[in-house]
Amino acid sequence: MSSSVRRSALRAGTVTVVAAAVALVGAAPALAHVTAQPGRAEQGGYTVIAFRVPTESDTAGTVKLEVKLPVDHPITSVRTTPRPGWTATMTKTGLNPPIQSSGRTITETVSAVTWTADPGTRIGPGEFAEFPLSLGPLPTDTNQLVLPAVQTYDDGEVVAWDQPPATDGSEPERPAPTVALSPAAAGDADVATSTTGGTTTTAAANGTDTTARWLGGGGLLVGALGLGVGVGAVLRNRRAAGAGR
Protein backbone atom coordinates (compact mmCIF):
# COMPACT_ATOMS: atom_id res chain seq x y z
CA MET A 1 0.00 0.00 0.00
CA SER A 2 1.41 3.42 -0.91
CA SER A 3 1.99 6.11 1.71
CA SER A 4 -0.68 8.36 0.17
CA VAL A 5 -3.28 5.58 0.38
CA ARG A 6 -2.31 4.89 4.01
CA ARG A 7 -2.65 8.58 4.87
CA SER A 8 -6.10 8.69 3.24
CA ALA A 9 -7.17 5.61 5.17
CA LEU A 10 -5.92 7.09 8.44
CA ARG A 11 -7.78 10.34 7.79
CA ALA A 12 -11.00 8.43 7.01
CA GLY A 13 -10.60 6.37 10.17
CA THR A 14 -9.98 9.45 12.28
CA VAL A 15 -13.04 11.20 10.87
CA THR A 16 -15.18 8.13 11.58
CA VAL A 17 -13.98 7.88 15.18
CA VAL A 18 -14.51 11.59 15.81
CA ALA A 19 -18.00 11.46 14.28
CA ALA A 20 -18.90 8.48 16.45
CA ALA A 21 -17.61 10.22 19.56
CA VAL A 22 -19.60 13.36 18.77
CA ALA A 23 -22.71 11.26 18.22
CA LEU A 24 -22.25 9.55 21.58
CA VAL A 25 -21.68 12.83 23.39
CA GLY A 26 -24.75 14.30 21.73
CA ALA A 27 -26.83 11.29 22.69
CA ALA A 28 -25.68 11.15 26.33
CA PRO A 29 -27.98 13.90 27.66
CA ALA A 30 -30.99 12.18 26.08
CA LEU A 31 -30.40 9.20 28.37
CA ALA A 32 -30.51 11.40 31.46
CA HIS A 33 -33.89 13.09 31.09
CA VAL A 34 -36.53 13.00 33.79
CA THR A 35 -39.16 10.75 32.22
CA ALA A 36 -42.62 9.35 32.97
CA GLN A 37 -42.89 5.54 33.07
CA PRO A 38 -44.84 4.01 31.43
CA GLY A 39 -45.21 6.56 28.66
CA ARG A 40 -48.72 5.50 27.65
CA ALA A 41 -52.07 5.11 29.44
CA GLU A 42 -55.80 4.95 28.67
CA GLN A 43 -58.08 7.95 28.72
CA GLY A 44 -60.55 7.91 31.60
CA GLY A 45 -58.67 5.23 33.53
CA TYR A 46 -56.58 5.09 36.68
CA THR A 47 -52.89 4.26 36.56
CA VAL A 48 -49.58 4.71 38.35
CA ILE A 49 -46.99 6.91 36.66
CA ALA A 50 -43.43 6.73 37.99
CA PHE A 51 -41.15 9.70 37.41
CA ARG A 52 -37.66 8.34 36.73
CA VAL A 53 -35.00 10.79 37.89
CA PRO A 54 -31.35 10.24 36.96
CA THR A 55 -28.54 12.40 38.35
CA GLU A 56 -26.52 13.93 35.52
CA SER A 57 -23.90 15.66 37.67
CA ASP A 58 -20.56 13.98 38.42
CA THR A 59 -20.20 15.77 41.75
CA ALA A 60 -23.67 16.73 43.04
CA GLY A 61 -26.76 14.76 44.01
CA THR A 62 -30.47 15.30 43.39
CA VAL A 63 -32.32 16.45 46.51
CA LYS A 64 -35.64 17.73 45.18
CA LEU A 65 -38.14 17.01 42.41
CA GLU A 66 -41.22 19.05 41.56
CA VAL A 67 -43.77 17.76 39.04
CA LYS A 68 -46.55 19.99 37.73
CA LEU A 69 -49.97 18.56 36.84
CA PRO A 70 -52.25 20.14 34.21
CA VAL A 71 -54.92 22.44 35.61
CA ASP A 72 -56.61 22.67 32.19
CA HIS A 73 -57.09 18.88 32.29
CA PRO A 74 -57.59 18.40 36.05
CA ILE A 75 -57.00 15.00 37.65
CA THR A 76 -59.24 14.60 40.68
CA SER A 77 -57.39 11.74 42.39
CA VAL A 78 -53.66 12.18 43.01
CA ARG A 79 -51.89 9.97 45.54
CA THR A 80 -48.26 9.48 46.53
CA THR A 81 -46.66 6.44 48.14
CA PRO A 82 -44.21 6.58 51.08
CA ARG A 83 -40.60 6.75 49.95
CA PRO A 84 -37.92 6.35 52.65
CA GLY A 85 -35.79 9.46 53.01
CA TRP A 86 -38.14 11.71 51.06
CA THR A 87 -41.13 13.91 51.98
CA ALA A 88 -43.91 14.52 49.46
CA THR A 89 -46.09 17.64 49.53
CA MET A 90 -48.96 18.66 47.26
CA THR A 91 -49.93 22.10 45.97
CA LYS A 92 -53.62 22.62 45.19
CA THR A 93 -55.26 25.15 42.88
CA GLY A 94 -58.92 26.23 42.82
CA LEU A 95 -61.08 25.29 39.83
CA ASN A 96 -63.33 27.93 38.32
CA PRO A 97 -65.80 26.66 37.37
CA PRO A 98 -65.86 23.51 39.56
CA ILE A 99 -66.19 20.13 37.88
CA GLN A 100 -68.32 17.07 38.60
CA SER A 101 -66.69 13.68 39.23
CA SER A 102 -68.41 10.50 40.50
CA GLY A 103 -71.34 12.56 41.79
CA ARG A 104 -69.08 14.99 43.66
CA THR A 105 -68.41 18.67 43.03
CA ILE A 106 -64.65 19.25 42.79
CA THR A 107 -63.58 22.81 43.58
CA GLU A 108 -59.79 22.34 43.61
CA THR A 109 -57.19 20.09 42.05
CA VAL A 110 -53.58 19.11 42.71
CA SER A 111 -51.42 21.30 40.48
CA ALA A 112 -47.98 20.16 41.69
CA VAL A 113 -46.30 17.44 43.74
CA THR A 114 -42.89 18.04 45.31
CA TRP A 115 -40.55 15.43 46.77
CA THR A 116 -37.83 16.77 49.07
CA ALA A 117 -34.95 14.68 50.38
CA ASP A 118 -34.41 14.42 54.12
CA PRO A 119 -30.98 15.52 55.44
CA GLY A 120 -28.35 13.04 54.37
CA THR A 121 -30.47 11.63 51.53
CA ARG A 122 -29.89 12.26 47.82
CA ILE A 123 -29.74 10.59 44.41
CA GLY A 124 -25.99 10.46 43.94
CA PRO A 125 -23.91 10.69 40.75
CA GLY A 126 -24.49 7.69 38.52
CA GLU A 127 -27.75 6.83 40.32
CA PHE A 128 -31.44 7.21 39.58
CA ALA A 129 -34.67 6.91 41.55
CA GLU A 130 -38.39 6.66 40.75
CA PHE A 131 -41.21 8.65 42.32
CA PRO A 132 -44.66 7.06 41.71
CA LEU A 133 -47.97 8.89 41.51
CA SER A 134 -51.38 7.25 41.38
CA LEU A 135 -53.51 9.32 38.99
CA GLY A 136 -57.08 9.19 37.77
CA PRO A 137 -59.39 9.41 36.14
CA LEU A 138 -57.13 10.49 33.29
CA PRO A 139 -58.46 13.18 30.95
CA THR A 140 -60.60 12.15 27.98
CA ASP A 141 -60.30 15.48 26.12
CA THR A 142 -56.59 15.29 25.23
CA ASN A 143 -54.23 12.73 23.70
CA GLN A 144 -51.29 13.47 25.99
CA LEU A 145 -50.33 14.66 29.45
CA VAL A 146 -47.38 17.03 29.60
CA LEU A 147 -45.96 16.98 33.14
CA PRO A 148 -43.15 19.54 33.53
CA ALA A 149 -40.55 18.68 36.18
CA VAL A 150 -37.92 20.69 38.04
CA GLN A 151 -34.85 18.87 39.41
CA THR A 152 -32.72 20.45 42.14
CA TYR A 153 -29.15 19.42 43.07
CA ASP A 154 -27.45 19.80 46.43
CA ASP A 155 -24.93 22.25 44.93
CA GLY A 156 -27.78 24.65 44.11
CA GLU A 157 -28.17 23.82 40.41
CA VAL A 158 -31.77 23.73 39.18
CA VAL A 159 -32.72 22.00 35.93
CA ALA A 160 -36.18 22.49 34.42
CA TRP A 161 -37.51 19.67 32.27
CA ASP A 162 -40.42 21.67 30.89
CA GLN A 163 -40.31 21.82 27.10
CA PRO A 164 -43.38 20.24 25.41
CA PRO A 165 -42.97 17.78 22.52
CA ALA A 166 -42.09 19.47 19.23
CA THR A 167 -44.72 19.42 16.50
CA ASP A 168 -42.20 18.04 13.99
CA GLY A 169 -41.46 15.02 16.21
CA SER A 170 -37.95 16.13 17.19
CA GLU A 171 -36.91 16.08 20.84
CA PRO A 172 -36.32 19.42 22.57
CA GLU A 173 -33.23 20.02 24.66
CA ARG A 174 -35.10 19.81 27.98
CA PRO A 175 -38.20 17.69 27.26
CA ALA A 176 -40.98 17.55 29.83
CA PRO A 177 -42.10 14.09 30.98
CA THR A 178 -45.02 13.13 28.75
CA VAL A 179 -47.66 10.41 28.83
CA ALA A 180 -49.53 9.57 25.62
CA LEU A 181 -53.25 8.93 26.18
CA SER A 182 -55.14 6.49 23.98
CA PRO A 183 -58.93 5.94 23.86
CA ALA A 184 -60.19 3.16 26.12
CA ALA A 185 -60.85 -0.09 24.29
CA ALA A 186 -64.48 -0.95 23.58
CA GLY A 187 -66.06 -2.90 26.43
CA ASP A 188 -63.58 -1.66 29.02
CA ALA A 189 -66.26 0.00 31.13
CA ASP A 190 -65.13 -2.02 34.13
CA VAL A 191 -61.34 -1.93 34.14
CA ALA A 192 -58.93 -3.37 36.66
CA THR A 193 -55.44 -1.84 36.74
CA SER A 194 -52.41 -3.11 38.63
CA THR A 195 -48.84 -1.89 38.72
CA THR A 196 -45.75 -3.91 39.59
CA GLY A 197 -42.20 -2.58 39.39
CA GLY A 198 -43.29 0.46 37.38
CA THR A 199 -45.18 -1.62 34.79
CA THR A 200 -48.93 -1.08 34.55
CA THR A 201 -51.21 -3.93 33.51
CA THR A 202 -54.82 -3.20 32.58
CA ALA A 203 -57.51 -5.82 32.05
CA ALA A 204 -61.22 -5.61 31.33
CA ALA A 205 -62.65 -7.16 34.47
CA ASN A 206 -66.03 -8.27 33.08
CA GLY A 207 -65.17 -9.71 29.66
CA THR A 208 -61.79 -11.15 30.59
CA ASP A 209 -63.02 -12.74 33.81
CA THR A 210 -66.03 -14.34 32.12
CA THR A 211 -63.88 -15.68 29.29
CA ALA A 212 -61.37 -17.07 31.74
CA ARG A 213 -64.12 -18.87 33.65
CA TRP A 214 -65.53 -20.45 30.48
CA LEU A 215 -62.07 -21.55 29.37
CA GLY A 216 -61.29 -22.92 32.81
CA GLY A 217 -64.58 -24.82 32.98
CA GLY A 218 -64.01 -26.21 29.50
CA GLY A 219 -60.54 -27.37 30.48
CA LEU A 220 -61.87 -29.15 33.56
CA LEU A 221 -64.55 -30.89 31.47
CA VAL A 222 -62.03 -32.06 28.87
CA GLY A 223 -59.72 -33.26 31.64
CA ALA A 224 -62.55 -35.21 33.32
CA LEU A 225 -63.50 -36.86 30.03
CA GLY A 226 -59.90 -37.82 29.38
CA LEU A 227 -59.60 -39.30 32.88
CA GLY A 228 -62.78 -41.36 32.35
CA VAL A 229 -61.52 -42.74 29.03
CA GLY A 230 -58.20 -43.68 30.63
CA VAL A 231 -59.83 -45.47 33.56
CA GLY A 232 -62.14 -47.37 31.19
CA ALA A 233 -59.18 -48.54 29.13
CA VAL A 234 -57.36 -49.79 32.23
CA LEU A 235 -60.42 -51.77 33.40
CA ARG A 236 -60.89 -53.38 29.97
CA ASN A 237 -57.23 -54.41 29.88
CA ARG A 238 -57.51 -55.99 33.34
CA ARG A 239 -60.66 -57.95 32.34
CA ALA A 240 -58.93 -59.19 29.18
CA ALA A 241 -55.89 -60.30 31.14
CA GLY A 242 -58.08 -62.18 33.68
CA ALA A 243 -60.02 -63.98 30.94
CA GLY A 244 -56.76 -65.06 29.33
CA ARG A 245 -55.69 -66.81 32.50
Side-chain angles (χ1 to χ4, degrees):
M1 181 184 292
S2 66
S3 60
S4 60
V5 174
R6 284 197 297 270
R7 284 196 296 273
S8 298
L10 286 172
R11 289 195 199 100
T14 301
V15 170
T16 301
V17 171
V18 171
V22 170
L24 287 174
V25 170
L31 301 176
H33 296 163
V34 174
T35 59
Q37 306 292 332
R40 182 171 294 276
E42 284 192 350
Q43 295 175 341
Y46 287 76
T47 191
V48 173
I49 299 297
F51 294 89
R52 185 171 296 170
V53 184
T55 290
E56 289 185 304
S57 175
D58 294 329
T59 57
T62 301
V63 292
K64 185 178 179 182
L65 175 70
E66 180 185 15
V67 173
K68 297 180 181 179
L69 302 179
V71 178
D72 53 343
H73 303 290
I75 299 173
T76 57
S77 176
V78 180
R79 299 178 186 274
T80 62
T81 188
R83 200 178 191 290
W86 295 78
T87 300
T89 57
M90 295 187 184
T91 301
K92 294 186 177 182
T93 299
L95 292 175
N96 188 16
I99 62 174
Q100 299 294 319
S101 178
S102 301
R104 296 181 299 133
T105 300
I106 308 297
T107 59
E108 61 180 9
T109 186
V110 176
S111 57
V113 180
T114 303
W115 290 268
T116 304
D118 297 339
T121 299
R122 69 175 189 167
I123 308 170
E127 299 177 343
F128 78 94
E130 292 187 338
F131 298 84
L133 274 185
S134 174
L135 303 174
L138 298 178
T140 57
D141 56 351
T142 181
N143 60 6
Q144 67 178 6
L145 280 180
V146 179
L147 306 164
V150 178
Q151 181 178 11
T152 302
Y153 289 89
D154 55 9
D155 63 356
E157 182 183 5
V158 177
V159 181
W161 304 96
D162 58 358
Q163 295 175 316
T167 55
D168 61 1
S170 61
E171 185 175 76
E173 181 181 1
R174 300 288 182 184
T178 303
V179 178
L181 299 178
S182 56
D188 279 2
D190 189 3
V191 175
T193 303
S194 62
T195 301
T196 303
T199 301
T200 302
T201 304
T202 305
N206 286 342
T208 302
D209 186 56
T210 301
T211 302
R213 290 179 182 177
W214 276 103
L215 290 175
L220 290 174
L221 178 59
V222 171
L225 290 174
L227 180 60
V229 171
V231 171
V234 171
L235 291 175
R236 285 195 298 273
N237 289 337
R238 287 181 177 177
R239 291 194 191 101
R245 291 174 187 168

